[in-house]
Amino acid sequence: VQLVESGGGLVQPGDSLRLSCATSGFNFGRFEMRWYRQVSGKQRELVAAIAGGGRADYRDSVKGRFTISRDNAKSTVYLQMNNVKPEDTAVYFCKAERAVSIEAKLEYWGQGTQVTVSS
């Protein structure tokens, strides 16, 4: 199983950025895909999630600015980040998750990509 994030970098406030997470080794279409972010010394937080059928949810602070999408044919999930703010600075991780029973789930993580928003 592999999840490889890309697209991070240094941008200015108000810019746009698109993160990608290319995956392999599991049945991508059957997994919910999520983007998390983490600032050093703080807890990892959920940014956005998208179900296999395309239903998406976002944390309040990114609603209207970020868009999560997925291409099941390419086994890739994206995070389009518009009008970025300094508080969006973090390492962004993608995660694949699927419940296999009422008590168990499969989870796979990527290695993360740094996004820095600074003028």
Side-chain angles (χ1 to χ4, degrees):
V1 173
Q2 282 194 315
L3 289 81
V4 181
E5 300 96 333
S6 61
L10 173 63
V11 294
Q12 294 187 339
D15 283 353
S16 295
L17 200 64
R18 189 175 85 152
L19 306 183
S20 300
C21 175
T23 77
S24 62
F26 62 98
N27 193 335
F28 180 82
R30 300 186 68 182
F31 280 69
E32 179 177 88
M33 297 302 299
R34 299 179 170 195
W35 284 99
Y36 287 78
R37 65 187 180 189
Q38 186 171 27
V39 176
S40 180
K42 295 189 176 181
Q43 275 196 322
R44 196 169 293 189
E45 62 181 25
L46 178 62
V47 175
I50 185 167
R55 178 178 174 271
D57 289 298
Y58 303 89
R59 70 181 301 108
D60 287 346
S61 61
V62 307
K63 283 181 181 177
R65 299 190 298 121
F66 291 10
T67 302
I68 188 172
S69 62
R70 64 190 293 159
D71 185 334
N72 288 344
K74 295 183 178 180
S75 298
T76 300
V77 62
Y78 305 96
L79 186 68
Q80 178 67 42
M81 305 167 62
N82 296 331
N83 188 25
V84 295
K85 303 176 180 180
E87 52 263 42
D88 294 322
T89 296
V91 178
Y92 283 72
F93 299 87
C94 69
K95 177 187 176 185
E97 182 173 310
R98 175 176 169 240
V100 295
S101 74
I102 197 168
E103 294 179 334
K105 59 184 175 181
L106 293 174
E107 297 178 294
Y108 307 122
W109 287 91
Q111 83 289 348
T113 186
Q114 175 71 47
V115 172
T116 303
V117 183
S118 176
S119 56

